[in-house]
Amino acid sequence: VIGVEDISDERATQAALAASEERLRLGLAAGRMVTWEYDLASGTVIRSANAMEVFGPGDRPEHFTARLS
């Protein structure tokens, strides 16, 4: 038994997502902005890859959470 599945829609969706993520990355870099998420339950901060470039090495997630307390 051989199965054939058309994955062209899935590939097109993946390509569109990759292009959208690249535009977001470029826009964040051009505007010197970052994205971030803060999980209240765990205290976890997730920031975009350019956060260190924008804020510098002295602004770590633990410093951010201390300001919220």
Side-chain angles (χ1 to χ4, degrees):
V1 177
I2 297 175
V4 176
E5 183 178 348
D6 183 4
I7 61 168
S8 57
D9 286 344
E10 183 177 339
R11 294 230 176 155
T13 300
Q14 289 173 348
L17 177 59
S20 177
E21 288 174 341
E22 179 65 7
R23 285 191 303 274
L24 174 60
R25 187 191 67 74
L26 290 171
L28 289 171
R32 295 194 42 83
M33 299 183 301
V34 301
T35 60
W36 58 274
E37 297 176 37
Y38 179 59
D39 184 330
L40 292 171
S42 68
T44 304
V45 176
I46 301 171
R47 300 188 299 183
S48 52
N50 66 329
M52 186 72 72
E53 179 186 325
V54 173
F55 295 127
D59 193 34
R60 299 199 203 320
E62 57 271 16
H63 298 152
F64 173 75
T65 56
R67 282 183 248 150
L68 292 176
S69 300

